[in-house]
Amino acid sequence: MFNKSLVKTPIPEQDPKARAGNFSEVALGYTDEQAISEASRCIGCKHKPCVAGCPVEVDIPAFVLKLAAGDPAAAYEIIRSNNALPAMCGRVCPQETQCEVLCVRGKKGDPVAVGRLERYAADWAMARPRLEMAHAAPNGIKVAVIGSGPAGLTCAGELACMGYDVTIFEAFHKPGGVLVYGIPEFRLPKAIVTYEIDGLLAQGVKLASNCVIGRSMSVDELFSDGFRAVFIGSGAGLPTFMKIPGENFNGVYSANEFLTRINLMRAFAEDGDTPIMRARRVAVVGGGNVAMDAARCALRLPGVAHVTIVYRRSEREMPARIEEIHHAQEEGIDFQLLTNPVELLGDEKGWVSAMACVRMELSEPDDSGRRRPVPIQGSRFEIEADCVIMAIGSSPNPLIRQTTPDLQVNKWGCVVADEATGRTEKKGVYAGGDAVTGAATVILAMGAGRAAANSIHQDILAGLI
Amino acid sequence: MYDIIEAMRYNPAVKRLTVNAPMVARRARPGQFVMLRVNDAGERIPLTIAHSDPESGAITIIFQEVGKTTAMLGALDVGDRLLDVVGPLGIPSHLDGMKKVCVIGGGLGCAIAYPQAKALFDMGAEVDMIAGFRNRDLIFMEEEMRAASSRLTVCTDDGSNGNRALVTDILKEYLEQGRAYDTIIAIGPLVMMKYVCLTAKPYDLPVIVSMNPIMVDGTGMCGCCRVTVDGQVKFACVDGPDFDGYKVDYDEAMRRNQMYIQQEERDMAAHRCQGEGQNHV
């Protein structure tokens, strides 16, 4: 029965106070009844505006209507035919700026909760025996995928389905890229990442972990080892600092380092040997999802009494998902907006002790279309902090471009590739995800991985590579 | 998994392991390092590759048992395995064209200086090597270093080997004798590298140092290993580990190396207690 409610069915969540002290997932997922009720809000419009907003073009109304009919198996199959990693996308995609923003129901009231429904279908499937994916006969053609983040996993999965002999090269000891080192457990449980990767391995994808392309091997060596095509999905791993005085004081982390210590190396757990500093007051600089993740991880560490997010524009301009900002606020993180750090201050032993900031005001829009923040004269003040985390962005890792002389990169070090096809100027080399765009989202990287897989297939069929 | 095919103890604290890691051995050059993990809960630590054999696929690492991870590593023997070995990482040392070089190693730094001395010596360069240790019992690799140099001087802080001197004293002596080096390579404690630079400066000779900061990934991802060189922030893992010795901010590097000292001491103490407990069982 059609659900006329103007509001989304709320998703059960852990209580903010309780979850601020643990790393378990915040959102608990819909029950069967809640899923059916929310799915029944979809009017199944013919022109499907939501699909156009999805970088991997999931047939959203089709799967939502299956859920409304109480058939999650069919719903999952529809999603899975376009999206290799549904349990992840249901959790971390910015649906509010992609599919949901285009939903007809959103014109008056809330849009259909596409993300929550996708997550429900994926979780339903994960709790049951694994679905066998349709698979072309092996063609024996070797393709190398560099990086096991969302772009690489998607590209590998698509190619494996087409019958290719795919090897993923991963620099870390564990596959998953930003899904394991970056996004925290409470937002994306690692068991889900493991499940999706195990699925790829079961499809016959090979994994070479501990292999740094650009150091252990070069791109050209992959070709001489018999790989016909190479997909670069190495992400944007190089952290950016502000270049303000005091950034090398002890206690100052890049968000990458802080999150890697916690998420990949399990520094928060009793059994993890990797240390993380015992901080009391943490200040995180930045307004993106990574800043929210770092702040919320910090809050969950024992001994941390206060976490501040410092961002130079206002909440409106924050690139983080609204849901993440909201969760961070609920958990008690202090937001110092229109505030910019100018210097980090330290004690006599070289540990950071405070962050000197100035207040900002917004003036004319800049190149990004957002109003440019300018400092207010005489507004300098200090925030006490014994740990500072810089979450102001990252750029692509230099190792591949340094060792692949004929690979074109732009002035930011991003690989130059056609965004629609993933093709680079170098024959047989394709690229996508953050390595091309700079830090962006999981789903855009997945879209790029999928597009590149199709281009590789076309180019091989056409005898171009 | 990476099999340990040879294990040898130089002295109570310093041990050598040869590990089967063909992917690393295939490309490793002097000055490069690996990141390794002993077990699944373990941290990733950087260790310099002391020797590599592309034919057999083996690499050699030499380490001092200073923390929990190196202590666990020290407890391993032939037949045991390392969970993860990644590399070779870092930019190889630029040794081309060097004809007359002074290679200085301090303590465990000798293990890192040795492959550079050997590479230079094998290239036909004249290599004066100075190896400094705290005392006689800590001296290791003396024969290897002698075989890889034109002249080797081993000195100790306490004189227990009959030659009481700091490496900088020996260097000063050599420089005063007018030995015209193309380059001085200094690898050891930060304070030693700092003073080698101060000693060499009046003679206007280039000094290359190898930095060994705390690292997590070793591939440029975390920024933990940042060092200030000539006022610029560099990542030792991808921009180094070798840098122009005169331009490194040693005082900052010394502070940064202390970051986890308290936690390491606590982990080490807990590790020792566990070990003792096991002995009683």
Side-chain angles (χ1 to χ4, degrees), chain A residues 258-313:
Chain A
F258 187 77
L259 290 170
T260 300
R261 284 180 182 272
I262 291 174
N263 299 326
L264 178 75
M265 305 307 295
R266 298 180 55 77
F268 68 89
E270 276 295 308
D271 64 354
D273 284 346
T274 300
I276 190 106
M277 67 169 292
R278 304 288 168 104
R280 204 171 58 78
R281 295 180 70 88
V282 180
V284 180
V285 182
N289 288 320
V290 175
M292 301 303 131
D293 286 346
R296 295 171 68 200
C297 278
L299 188 74
R300 285 160 169 78
L301 292 179
V304 172
H306 190 88
V307 180
T308 308
I309 284 180
V310 176
Y311 179 57
R312 63 199 181 118
R313 303 181 201 242

Side-chain angles (χ1 to χ4, degrees), chain A residues 210-279:
Chain A
N210 291 333
C211 183
V212 185
I213 302 298
R215 284 281 186 260
S216 310
M217 285 179 93
S218 67
V219 168
D220 288 322
E221 277 174 298
L222 292 171
F223 286 113
S224 44
D225 275 6
F227 289 96
R228 282 272 285 282
V230 174
F231 173 73
I232 301 172
S234 49
L238 199 75
T240 309
F241 288 90
M242 290 188 76
K243 297 193 162 70
I244 56 173
E247 272 185 308
N248 286 355
F249 280 131
N250 287 1
V252 183
Y253 288 96
S254 73
N256 265 1
E257 180 187 354
F258 187 77
L259 290 170
T260 300
R261 284 180 182 272
I262 291 174
N263 299 326
L264 178 75
M265 305 307 295
R266 298 180 55 77
F268 68 89
E270 276 295 308
D271 64 354
D273 284 346
T274 300
I276 190 106
M277 67 169 292
R278 304 288 168 104

